[in-house]
Amino acid sequence: MYDCILAGETFPDEYRDCIDLSKVGVAGFSYGATTAALSAATHPDRYKAAVLLDGWFSMDLASIDNCAVKEVVDFPIQAFEKGIHCPALFLGSEEFDHYTHMRQATDRLQESCTKETKRVVVPGTVHWSFIDVALWTYGLAPRFYNFLRRKLNVYSEVDPAENLEAVIQTSRDFLKEYLI
């Protein structure tokens, strides 16, 4: 997208002039956080901050039955090798923090950062606590939400509206510090 904006391919000139490319951040959730970390590591000149929401920074290949490789690997390896060269917020779930390989990989990626980092684990949350579907099902169909929470352990005990507000506020405060 960054290249498209510069080339004027996706934004007319009058909109492109409204974008301050010296204040661009990158963010993502889950695999999107992995992609954001990779982008921040491979394009250090583009991003002034990164928000990585419950990133999937470890691949447990040993748990895949038909996989010939039986090890746990950092992912994406380029992000770990190059490091992230902008301030980074690692905002994660308590669920992922309890998976040793996920926590350790996040620790290693955070250590690879050459700028300031902040790590926040939101108490009582699971991976799906960070998406707006939790809020929709809670607001529109509370019985369905409670079924998913109890039977499938998809959602946490944390109120989705309060959790998403906390995630938004924490991300906003971090981005204000580095982008404004």
Side-chain angles (χ1 to χ4, degrees):
M1 185 57 124
Y2 189 96
D3 291 330
C4 292
I5 292 170
L6 286 178
E9 294 172 5
T10 56
F11 287 84
D13 287 341
E14 61 269 19
Y15 296 131
R16 187 179 63 189
D17 295 340
C18 298
I19 299 171
D20 184 349
L21 292 176
S22 70
K23 295 181 180 181
V24 174
V26 62
F29 162 71
S30 191
Y31 192 78
T34 304
T35 305
L38 177 62
S39 190
T42 56
H43 301 288
D45 55 321
R46 293 186 177 181
Y47 304 107
K48 302 303 179 218
V51 175
L52 309 171
L53 301 171
D54 221 23
W56 202 282
F57 303 124
S58 174
M59 299 291 284
D60 184 3
L61 301 176
S63 69
I64 301 171
D65 291 337
N66 61 349
C67 185
V69 178
K70 295 296 181 189
E71 62 183 315
V72 177
V73 296
D74 292 338
F75 183 75
I77 194 62
Q78 300 92 330
F80 287 84
E81 291 173 347
K82 293 176 182 273
I84 296 174
H85 303 286
C86 63
L89 170 63
F90 293 81
L91 185 56
S93 69
E94 190 173 60
E95 176 187 23
F96 268 25
D97 198 53
H98 284 287
Y99 298 140
T100 303
H101 66 93
M102 296 294 276
R103 183 183 63 254
Q104 290 174 344
T106 302
D107 290 344
R108 285 189 297 277
L109 185 58
Q110 187 176 5
E111 290 168 6
S112 82
C113 295
T114 59
K115 304 283 183 180
E116 302 82 7
T117 66
K118 182 176 182 179
R119 177 93 170 264
V120 177
V121 175
V122 183
T125 56
V126 296
H127 188 59
W128 298 111
S129 298
F130 290 80
I131 61 173
D132 54 0
V133 171
L135 186 61
W136 295 347
T137 56
Y138 181 75
L140 297 175
R143 290 177 66 185
F144 180 64
Y145 173 87
N146 286 326
F147 167 79
L148 292 174
R149 183 177 52 77
R150 282 190 320 275
K151 299 292 184 190
L152 304 178
N153 197 28
V154 175
Y155 299 125
S156 70
E157 298 291 329
V158 176
D159 178 270
E162 291 176 16
N163 179 65
L164 287 177
E165 181 57 36
V167 168
I168 290 167
Q169 186 64 48
T170 302
S171 301
R172 182 176 31 218
D173 291 347
F174 181 81
L175 291 171
K176 277 184 177 178
E177 185 174 347
Y178 295 104
L179 296 182
I180 296 177

